[in-house]
Amino acid sequence: MPELPSKTAPETAGPRPAASPPPTAKTTEQPSERSTGTTTGTTAGKNEAPRVAVASLVGTTIEYYDFAVYGTASALVLGPAFFPSGNATVSSLAAFLTFAAAFLSRPLGVVLFGTIGDRLGRRRALVASLLLMGVATVGVGLLPTYESAGLLAPVLLVTLRLLQGVSMGGEWGGAVLLAAEHAPPGRRALYASIPQAGPSLGFLLSTAVILPTLNIVGRDGFVDWAWRIPFLLSTVLVVIGLWVRTTVSESPVFDTTANRTTQPQPASASASASASASASATASRFPLVTLLKRYPGRVLLGTGAAIGGSAVYYLTIVYSISYGPKELGIPQNTMLTAASVGAAAGIAITLPVARLADRIGRRPVMLTGAVGCVVWAVPMYASLSSRNGLVITGAYTVGLMLLALMFSPVAAFLPELFPARLRYTGASAAFILANTLGGGFAPLVATWLNSNWQSPLVLGFYTGTLCLLSLLCLLALPETRDQEFDI
């Protein structure tokens, strides 16, 4: 298993050995776990870290609001509106296929925004990703349906979904990195976890828009025209998000790394330092190539560590909202309420869980969550057979709180597996691959499983298997809490 990046490892060539600091040390102050989050170079100061974390949370919430709106609309209306068929299962599969299409384009977002983030800065990548998501989401709200535009309608829908996926490919890594790289000493997991509340907050926000709309216009009115309202409302949210993100400073870790690779080496600098600067510059030009050459094991294990949590989230928040009403006759409001209460409970413990991960380590907390999800997966989805709102809500609440144990620390854990010059690309690649394999295809796999076995228990066995995979990958990875972040 490859070692974690360290200050003396040749492959993390940027930093120099502490025993022989370069003559230019005064002009290129290096942030570390002891200095990150305080005034460093052009950093705004001690109060910058909370502002950056909030800015990351706002943008992530908006991005996942857009995704949640589409996921809920897929479950309720987009199948028949864009993929009419006499078979309800076929229409649902087609709608969820467009949901999965956005995950297929996420790796392109990793390449695009990872390169921007590792070469030009985290903030620039985040502003661009949010703008792209806003344009694509509003575009979905303006689309004609199959009835009025024929095949052009689903083609345009898939195109916009692909653009949403590209945006999401760059969002997560940049959001958690900007927060983590501004974090004060000993609180990296805490600050990195703040954007992690964005997915659940985005879902709650989408539900807060969709449920009143359904109640006001009725299901027929929602299917006919009102489904467009949540998409169009994202215009306001994107404007707010762009304003917030353009008012915060760039990551001090990125600034120091960029200075280190662009400043000319003095004549007295050692040959190894010159070679280090050259290697670092090469990595910054081609971060994905360097990542896959030097850290393939870390990318794969990091992906596996996050895959179970992705399955729990998307099967609970997206698939079951469609499955419960259509297959089991559970009222739509019951399913939305159960998922919302569970999501709120997960948000409530996100920061305490992250603080615990700062104190005792990332792995113990995440391993506890993985074991819990393996054990609870079957009972959680078996609760759907009861058709009882209180039982389902209780089961979902426990499940999404266990998910928080896995999901909260991963925002610090994955970035800590990679050196600074590859961190945006590396963390994004691992998380997005996990989301694509464990989350993007989860509704499709679940639809196929239930078409053959017609029991919610299969959802539990499927989810539990992926959570077991996460458990094994976490066991194979080292603890990263004490990893320096300026390398």
Side-chain angles (χ1 to χ4, degrees):
M1 177 173 54
E3 297 179 358
L4 280 173
S6 65
K7 283 192 172 183
T8 58
E11 59 187 323
T12 56
R16 301 172 179 83
S20 57
T24 58
K26 289 185 179 180
T27 59
T28 57
E29 181 183 354
Q30 296 181 14
S32 69
E33 185 70 311
R34 294 172 297 279
S35 62
T36 301
T38 59
T39 304
T40 305
T42 60
T43 317
K46 293 183 179 180
N47 293 328
E48 184 74 1
R51 291 179 60 242
V52 169
V54 171
S56 296
L57 172 63
V58 169
T60 305
T61 299
I62 294 170
E63 294 261 9
Y64 275 91
Y65 164 84
D66 293 341
F67 239 64
V69 163
Y70 186 90
T72 304
S74 295
L76 297 176
V77 65
L78 294 185
F82 288 88
F83 307 96
S85 169
N87 188 313
T89 300
V90 172
S91 291
S92 294
L93 275 171
F96 283 132
L97 185 60
T98 63
F99 184 81
F103 286 83
L104 290 175
S105 62
R106 283 188 179 194
L108 178 58
V110 171
V111 176
L112 175 61
F113 292 107
T115 301
I116 295 173
D118 282 330
R119 292 188 60 183
L120 303 178
R122 316 326 192 187
R123 192 180 66 166
R124 291 185 183 182
L126 283 174
V127 169
S129 70
L130 183 59
L131 183 60
L132 179 60
M133 175 62 81
V135 170
T137 303
V138 173
V140 172
L142 297 173
L143 283 180
T145 62
Y146 185 91
E147 183 179 2
S148 58
L151 288 175
L152 179 62
V155 169
L156 291 174
L157 179 63
V158 171
T159 300
L160 292 174
R161 285 294 294 162
L162 292 173
L163 292 178
Q164 282 186 319
V166 171
S167 169
M168 287 296 292
E171 170 62 28
W172 184 86
V176 300
L177 273 188
L178 201 61
E181 291 181 341
H182 277 89
R187 298 198 171 192
R188 190 187 300 152
L190 176 65
Y191 278 80
S193 74
I194 292 175
Q196 287 293 79
S200 293
L201 281 175
F203 169 74
L204 291 175
L205 187 59
S206 72
T207 302
V209 173
I210 290 172
L211 271 181
T213 305
L214 274 169
N215 291 332
I216 292 171
V217 304
R219 188 177 180 88
D220 290 341
F222 190 85
V223 170
D224 187 36
W225 61 273
W227 62 269
R228 301 178 184 275
I229 294 175
F231 290 98
L232 298 178
L233 281 178
S234 69
T235 304
V236 178
L237 300 176
V238 169
V239 171
I240 295 173
L242 288 173
W243 175 76
V244 171
R245 282 195 169 173
T246 54
T247 61
V248 298
S249 67
E250 181 55 82
S251 158
V253 176
F254 172 81
D255 281 341
T256 299
T257 304
N259 289 337
R260 187 184 298 144
T261 58
T262 57
Q263 284 185 348
Q265 293 291 325
S268 58
S270 66
S272 62
S274 299
S276 294
S278 175
S280 184
T282 301
S284 66
R285 286 196 300 270
F286 309 106
L288 181 64
V289 175
T290 306
L291 177 75
L292 296 179
K293 285 174 62 178
R294 298 185 180 181
Y295 304 101
R298 257 173 247 167
V299 173
L300 290 176
L301 288 173
T303 298
I307 199 170
S310 296
V312 172
Y313 179 83
Y314 283 102
L315 284 178
T316 304
I317 297 298
V318 176
Y319 177 75
S320 67
I321 291 175
S322 169
Y323 172 76
K326 289 182 179 179
E327 302 298 330
L328 301 175
I330 302 171
Q332 192 76 62
N333 285 2
T334 297
M335 292 305 306
L336 287 171
T337 300
S340 297
V341 171
I347 292 172
I349 69 167
T350 292
L351 296 187
V353 166
R355 194 70 188 105
L356 182 63
D358 275 327
R359 289 172 177 164
I360 69 173
R362 288 54 163 133
R363 288 176 75 250
V365 178
M366 295 176 68
L367 284 168
T368 301
V371 171
C373 286
V374 170
V375 173
W376 190 248
V378 172
M380 178 168 66
Y381 294 111
S383 70
L384 295 174
S385 297
S386 72
R387 297 175 174 81
N388 184 297
L390 290 177
V391 173
I392 297 170
T393 300
Y396 274 28
T397 299
V398 173
L400 291 176
M401 290 178 74
L402 289 170
L403 170 63
L405 295 178
M406 298 175 65
F407 202 57
S408 179
V410 80
F413 183 67
L414 291 182
E416 287 164 349
L417 293 174
F418 305 98
R421 69 183 187 276
L422 299 172
R423 191 166 289 143
Y424 198 128
T425 303
S428 295
F431 189 79
I432 294 306
L433 281 174
N435 261 232
T436 300
L437 298 175
F441 290 101
L444 286 174
V445 174
T447 300
W448 179 81
L449 289 172
N450 277 300
S451 68
N452 286 278
W453 284 276
Q454 298 179 347
S455 169
L457 291 177
V458 299
L459 301 180
F461 289 120
Y462 171 58
T463 306
T465 300
L466 292 182
C467 290
L468 179 60
L469 175 61
S470 289
L471 174 63
L472 296 175
C473 289
L474 284 168
L475 289 172
L477 286 166
E479 178 56 61
T480 61
R481 179 184 59 161
D482 297 325
Q483 175 62 33
E484 294 284 357
F485 221 41
D486 62 332
I487 58 176

